[in-house]
């Protein structure tokens, strides 16, 4: 399977969009850092730093695009047959794609926060990462917890995108669902409060699990979700496993 993973990584590395999106990410981070540095009274550095100078938002779009295309492109251009007729099983092929995408997402998160820390050293040297932000937690620890929760919640959406990518030959549908899901949580959060208050069992739906990062950052969200942070973590993991499992079954039975 290591050969399959190497091949998938090679294909990602050869894609022009991979390097173009990397340049776009870094440039936009630098531009935002310059703006915050110039207008400190208008823009607060702390929330923007936590968010990786908007890097977290950007990398989500890059990851959704990669997840939706890594499977659908093979069926769209009829290259899946070549893979299926080789010595590897369909299961091995799909798992190699999952591992590649996981490594790809790690790449984006590391890049985002290496650049973020570099911009902090250059433009905001007096911004104290060790200051207490409450409950005996420092800013740097709070950031690590928030980034970890975002990573997990992103993967909840990405596994749904991968599931849908197994159902369609075009990546457009899978990409659209991933992006809609990302924005939907902000739109329906108010409605979710009413529904959970009326029917407590609704709190276990996937949209509630996407509130995990918000609750890690601000524990008052518990009044909305009716779930603890540990329950949200477990719920995210369970849904990720479910979506991957369903996608695995569909991929193994899919016709070419």
């Amino acid at each position: 399977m290591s050969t399959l993973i190497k091949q998938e990584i090679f294909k990602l590395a050869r894609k022009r969009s991979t390097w173009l999106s990397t340049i776009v990410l870094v440039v936009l981070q630098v531009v935002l850092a310059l703006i915050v540095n110039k207008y400190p009274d208008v823009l607060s550095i702390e929330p923007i730093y936590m968010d990786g100078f908007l890097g977290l938002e950007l990398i989500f779009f890059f990851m959704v695009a990669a997840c939706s295309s890594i499977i659908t492109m093979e069926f769209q251009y009829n290259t899946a047959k070549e893979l299926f007729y080789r010595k590897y099983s369909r299961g091995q092929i799909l798992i190699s794609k999952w591992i590649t995408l996981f490594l790809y997402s790690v790449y984006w998160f590391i890049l985002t926060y290496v650049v973020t820390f570099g911009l902090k050293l250059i433009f905001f040297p007096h911004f104290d990462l060790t200051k207490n932000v409450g409950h005996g937690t420092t800013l740097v620890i709070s950031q690590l917890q928030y980034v970890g929760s975002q990573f997990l919640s992103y993967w909840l959406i990405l596994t749904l995108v991968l599931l849908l990518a197994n159902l369609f030959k075009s990546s457009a549908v899978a990409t659209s669902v991933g992006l809609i899901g990302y924005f939907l949580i902000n739109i329906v959060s108010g409605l979710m409060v009413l529904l959970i208050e009326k029917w407590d069992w609704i709190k276990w739906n996937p949209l509630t699990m996407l509130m995990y990062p918000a609750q890690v950052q601000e524990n008052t969200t518990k009044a909305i979700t009716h779930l603890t942070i540990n329950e949200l973590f477990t719920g995210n993991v369970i849904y990720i496993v479910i979506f991957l499992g369903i996608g695995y079954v569909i991929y193994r039975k899919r016709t070419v």
Side-chain angles (χ1 to χ4, degrees):
M1 189 182 294
S2 61
T3 302
L4 287 170
I5 296 171
K6 290 176 183 177
Q7 289 174 348
E8 292 292 344
I9 293 174
F10 178 76
K11 286 190 284 186
L12 273 176
R14 287 293 301 272
K15 289 178 71 174
R16 198 178 307 174
S17 59
T18 300
W19 301 109
L20 180 60
S21 53
T22 297
I23 294 170
V24 169
L25 172 68
V26 175
V27 169
L28 290 179
Q29 283 182 287
V30 172
V31 169
L32 183 57
L34 289 169
I35 294 173
V36 175
N37 187 54
K38 188 173 182 179
Y39 303 103
D41 297 331
V42 179
L43 297 170
S44 174
I45 176 61
E46 184 172 317
I48 293 175
Y49 178 84
M50 290 282 287
D51 211 33
F53 292 98
L54 291 184
L56 279 184
E57 280 72 18
L58 289 172
I59 63 178
F60 174 76
F61 299 116
F62 301 151
M63 288 161 57
V64 166
C67 284
S68 61
S69 64
I70 198 169
I71 294 174
T72 55
M73 294 295 282
E74 290 178 351
F75 290 94
Q76 190 173 343
Y77 294 105
N78 294 319
T79 56
K81 291 181 181 178
E82 299 177 14
L83 279 174
F84 293 163
Y85 291 146
R86 292 165 63 185
K87 63 180 179 179
Y88 304 105
S89 68
R90 289 195 181 196
Q92 288 177 313
I93 293 169
L94 183 60
I95 292 172
S96 70
K97 293 180 185 296
W98 292 348
I99 295 172
T100 302
L101 288 170
F102 178 80
L103 295 174
Y104 190 56
S105 61
V106 170
Y107 159 75
W108 282 119
F109 271 77
I110 291 176
L111 174 65
T112 296
Y113 282 95
V114 166
V115 174
T116 297
F117 186 68
L119 292 173
K120 183 266 179 199
L121 294 177
I122 296 170
F123 297 108
F124 312 98
H126 302 297
F127 178 52
D128 187 10
L129 298 179
T130 62
K131 75 173 185 177
N132 194 297
V133 293
H135 307 289
T137 304
T138 62
L139 183 63
V140 66
I141 296 299
S142 178
Q143 183 188 40
L144 289 173
Q145 292 171 340
Y146 175 66
V147 172
S149 63
Q150 277 286 17
F151 185 86
L152 189 63
S153 290
Y154 278 3
W155 262 96
L156 174 56
I157 300 177
L158 294 175
T159 51
L160 178 58
V161 173
L162 285 168
L163 168 59
L164 293 171
N166 279 311
L167 297 173
F168 304 98
K169 283 194 174 183
S170 172
S171 62
V173 176
T175 302
S176 299
V177 171
L179 298 180
I180 291 170
Y182 178 72
F183 292 110
L184 192 61
I185 186 60
N186 298 314
I187 298 173
V188 304
S189 58
L191 176 62
M192 196 68 65
V193 175
L194 299 176
L195 293 175
I196 292 174
E197 286 291 341
K198 191 170 183 179
W199 299 291
D200 188 67
W201 58 269
I202 290 180
K203 66 186 180 183
W204 298 107
N205 75 86
L207 286 177
T208 305
M209 301 306 155
L210 294 175
M211 296 183 185
Y212 178 43
Q215 190 156 320
V216 166
Q217 197 172 29
E218 188 177 353
N219 204 37
T220 53
T221 314
K222 185 178 180 180
I224 299 174
T225 64
H226 289 198
L227 295 169
T228 65
I229 288 177
N230 287 337
E231 286 173 333
L232 286 170
F233 173 83
T234 304
N236 273 273
V237 172
I238 290 173
Y239 274 113
I240 287 172
V241 172
I242 290 172
F243 291 152
L244 287 177
I246 296 173
Y248 182 87
V249 172
I250 294 172
Y251 189 81
R252 292 198 62 180
K253 296 183 176 181
R254 186 168 182 174
T255 57
V256 293

